[in-house]
Amino acid sequence: MKKISTVFDLLKRIQHNPSRYLGYPSVHSLFIFLNGYRFARQDMGVDLTEQEAMFYSRFQPWLQEKLGVNVATSWPKLVMLSCKDEQAGFKTFFVLLAEFRHWCRSESALSSRSAVVHRLRDVLETDRLSMMD
C-alpha cells in the first residue's frame, strides 16, 4: 500500500472509497476524521505542509466568505446549507475543496499564506508543549 504523505493524498483516497475510512459518505464524519488525523500527526510530531496549514486554517473562513455567511460555524454546516443529505454534502465538499485549492494557488492567497503558516505552526508548537506538561 502506498504511504499517505499529505492530508490531500488521504482525501483523494477517502473520496474514492469513503466506506473504508468513514463507514459511509458523510461530510460530518469526514470533518471528525480530519480533526483526528490532524491531532494524530501533531501528537507524532509530524509538521503540516504549507498547503495543509492553509486548509486547516483558511478553508472555513474562505467558505464563509464564498457563501456570504457572517455567522461563524463549522465548515460541514456551511457545506450542508445547500445539500439535501450527508452524501450530497460529501460530494459537495470535494467540489469546494478543489475550488479552495485553486484559490490557494492564486495571487490573492499568496500574500497571506506565509503569515498563516507561521501562526499555525506557533499554535501547534504551543499545543505540543502544553501536552508535554
Side-chain angles (χ1 to χ4, degrees):
M1 181 178 278
K2 184 181 172 192
K3 180 181 172 186
I4 297 170
S5 58
T6 70
V7 72
F8 302 108
D9 297 328
L10 178 59
L11 282 167
K12 187 180 290 184
R13 287 181 173 194
I14 293 171
Q15 181 179 17
H16 296 297
N17 192 359
S19 62
R20 179 177 185 178
Y21 299 91
L22 307 176
Y24 58 93
S26 161
V27 71
H28 284 92
S29 294
L30 180 62
F31 176 73
I32 292 165
F33 183 94
L34 290 175
N35 283 333
Y37 177 77
R38 179 178 60 178
F39 175 79
R41 284 185 58 156
Q42 178 183 339
D43 195 47
M44 294 181 341
V46 178
D47 290 332
L48 296 175
T49 67
E50 188 175 315
Q51 289 181 336
E52 289 172 322
M54 283 292 287
F55 170 73
Y56 282 112
S57 66
R58 292 290 305 146
F59 183 67
Q60 186 267 337
W62 171 84
L63 194 52
Q64 269 186 262
E65 187 175 315
K66 175 182 175 48
L67 299 175
V69 176
N70 294 326
V71 177
T73 189
S74 65
W75 60 256
K77 289 181 181 180
L78 292 168
V79 170
M80 291 303 296
L81 288 175
S82 64
C83 299
K84 63 180 179 171
D85 59 35
E86 284 285 325
Q87 189 167 6
F90 182 81
K91 290 178 182 178
T92 300
F93 166 80
F94 286 100
V95 171
L96 292 166
L97 179 65
E99 192 176 329
F100 173 75
R101 292 191 73 194
H102 177 73
W103 174 82
C104 285
R105 291 186 291 271
S106 72
E107 286 298 316
S108 62
L110 289 176
S111 61
S112 65
R113 180 177 297 167
S114 180
V116 168
V117 169
H118 290 295
R119 187 173 141 262
L120 186 57
R121 285 187 179 149
D122 288 344
V123 167
L124 291 175
E125 184 61 25
T126 301
D127 286 349
R128 188 178 303 150
L129 292 173
S130 69
M131 288 172 53
M132 297 172 104
D133 291 337

